[in-house]
Amino acid sequence: MPVVEQYARAHIVTDDEVRDEPGAVPVVLRYDPEEPRSVRVRLPDRHEWTFSRALLEQGLRSPAGTGEVRVWPCGRVQAVVEFHSAGGVSVVQFETSTLTRFLRRTYSAAETPAVAHS
């Protein structure tokens, strides 16, 4: 089954360091069918967070999560993902359509049958 990797742009609203350049930053969304219940988000500082795919999906509709990762809708077209660590909190704002497209791709990848090699 293919790994799904999607490059996106997101706004880091706040984090553990003050950013010199405001605006959208590159973020990598990743899904590996070998870990079918998880998704990964890699921020520009190369820190990668792994959390439940169901949490991401639920958070697009209503606030979800406790602990290290929380997700909630922000208006009609945006969603917020909040990452907590010992070093601080990173609040990242995405276009909802980006996360929805990524989730659709993960479900398609999970349904793709493995190719047998002889």
Side-chain angles (χ1 to χ4, degrees):
M1 290 185 257
V3 169
V4 174
E5 193 164 270
Q6 180 173 316
Y7 295 87
R9 299 206 48 87
H11 291 273
I12 297 182
V13 179
T14 186
D15 64 7
D16 52 346
E17 298 176 8
V18 176
R19 295 215 171 261
D20 294 330
E21 298 179 26
V25 297
V27 175
V28 179
L29 306 170
R30 192 170 203 284
Y31 170 77
D32 185 343
E34 297 293 321
E35 300 175 34
R37 294 188 176 141
S38 300
V39 293
R40 296 174 187 256
V41 175
R42 187 172 54 222
L43 300 178
D45 62 4
R46 299 185 190 240
H47 188 89
E48 187 170 87
W49 295 85
T50 302
F51 58 98
S52 164
R53 179 170 64 165
L55 170 65
L56 180 59
E57 185 172 11
Q58 181 184 354
L60 295 179
R61 294 186 306 270
S62 62
T66 58
E68 291 186 345
V69 180
R70 299 172 188 167
V71 183
W72 66 89
C74 181
R76 291 182 168 192
V77 297
Q78 295 180 327
V80 172
V81 182
E82 185 177 272
F83 302 102
H84 293 255
S85 71
V89 177
S90 294
V91 180
V92 184
Q93 192 171 33
F94 290 89
E95 294 291 325
T96 302
S97 60
T98 298
L99 297 176
T100 301
R101 185 172 40 256
F102 172 68
L103 283 170
R104 284 186 186 139
R105 291 180 66 209
T106 70
Y107 288 114
S108 293
E111 293 170 1
T112 303
V115 177
H117 295 284
S118 28

